[in-house]
């Protein structure tokens, strides 16, 4: 009974509720959507006695408009923040740079595969996975100084192979490219 009276009050007060929603939301389309949502909320409302149906409806409409404005503002801010962190076209690699990066990665993979197993493992753990030398030493069952020696030899092989490949600064640049591409 109370729900039927509330729905009848909604139909009677709809023009004024629409004015309120248009004023709060800024346009008729959003106000229509909010009025529809308000109606659906009324349908799902449990039958409880309400002293002033019109006041209750206006409060529901005002709260709904406020929630929608807050949601729209949050959504706009979230979308703006997301767009700000997206790369611009100039930051994206062109086809030539992507091809060169794939060639470099393939070459580095060949270099790593040609290394002794422990040296390759130490190098991958340190440069790609970012593990500490102490952690690598424990995993390989050797001393930290042993890890340092393995890494020095691995760097030398990468550098020498890069020089043979025809790159002027094969060392650290190549390693950075490898880490970026692999991860």
């Amino acid at each position: 009974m109370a729900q039927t009276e509330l729905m009848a009050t909604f139909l009677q007060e709809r023009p004024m509720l629409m004015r309120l929603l248009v004023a709060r939301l800024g346009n008729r389309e959003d106000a229509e959507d909010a009025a529809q949502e308000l109606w659906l909320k009324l349908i799902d409302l449990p039958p409880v006695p309400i002293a002033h149906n019109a006041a209750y409806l206006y409060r529901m409409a005002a709260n709904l408009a406020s929630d929608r404005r807050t949601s729209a503002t949050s959504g706009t801010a979230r979308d703006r923040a997301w767009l700000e962190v997206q790369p611009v076209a100039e930051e994206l690699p062109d086809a030539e740079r992507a091809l060169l990066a794939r060639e470099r990665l393939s070459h580095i993979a060949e270099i790593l595969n040609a290394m002794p197993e422990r040296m390759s493992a130490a190098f991958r753990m340190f440069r790609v996975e970012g593990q500490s030398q102490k952690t690598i030493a424990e995993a390989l069952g050797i001393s930290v100084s042993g890890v340092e020696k393995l890494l020095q030899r691995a760097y030398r092989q990468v550098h020498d192979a890069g020089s043979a490949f025809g790159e002027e600064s094969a060392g650290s640049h190549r390693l950075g490219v490898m880490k970026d591409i692999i991860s």
Side-chain angles (χ1 to χ4, degrees):
M1 176 75 175
Q3 187 179 20
T4 307
E5 290 176 10
L6 193 58
M7 294 173 101
T9 305
F10 174 86
L11 294 173
Q12 181 182 359
E13 296 292 325
R14 190 173 193 288
M16 290 302 290
L17 287 168
M18 284 301 296
R19 282 186 179 168
L20 171 74
L21 291 169
V22 168
R24 299 276 174 104
L25 296 174
N27 64 62
R28 185 141 186 93
E29 293 80 24
D30 288 345
E32 287 288 347
D33 289 345
Q36 179 69 25
E37 186 176 342
L38 183 59
W39 179 260
L40 293 173
K41 286 181 181 273
L42 292 176
I43 291 171
D44 291 338
L45 196 66
V48 293
I50 298 170
H52 301 286
N53 287 342
Y56 185 80
L57 288 172
Y58 283 105
R59 174 53 55 201
M60 279 183 73
N63 289 345
L64 186 59
S66 177
D67 290 348
R68 283 176 164 252
R69 269 194 336 265
T70 302
S71 177
T73 302
S74 297
T76 302
R78 180 185 61 245
D79 292 347
R80 185 177 303 120
W82 184 82
L83 287 172
E84 287 175 1
V85 298
Q86 298 306 306
V88 294
E90 295 81 33
E91 295 174 340
L92 296 173
D94 58 9
E96 181 181 4
R97 286 176 51 201
L99 180 61
L100 286 173
R102 279 194 292 275
E103 284 179 9
R104 287 178 178 157
L105 179 61
S106 174
H107 188 68
I108 290 172
E110 290 172 13
I111 295 168
L112 290 175
N113 289 335
M115 287 181 187
E117 186 177 330
R118 285 172 56 158
M119 183 188 303
S120 175
F123 185 80
R124 288 176 196 266
M125 292 168 77
F126 186 71
R127 289 299 299 183
V128 178
E129 297 172 14
Q131 295 184 21
S132 70
Q133 290 182 5
K134 182 179 179 182
T135 305
I136 297 169
E138 291 170 359
L140 296 179
I142 59 176
S143 67
V144 173
S145 120
V147 171
E148 290 172 352
K149 289 175 186 172
L150 285 174
L151 290 175
Q152 286 174 353
R153 290 195 328 246
Y155 284 127
R156 175 56 51 202
Q157 284 190 16
V158 169
H159 181 271
D160 292 347
S163 296
F165 189 63
E167 291 191 6
E168 50 200 58
S169 63
S172 63
H173 174 69
R174 176 175 293 283
L175 298 175
V177 168
M178 180 186 73
K179 188 172 182 180
D180 290 342
I181 294 172
I182 291 176
S183 45

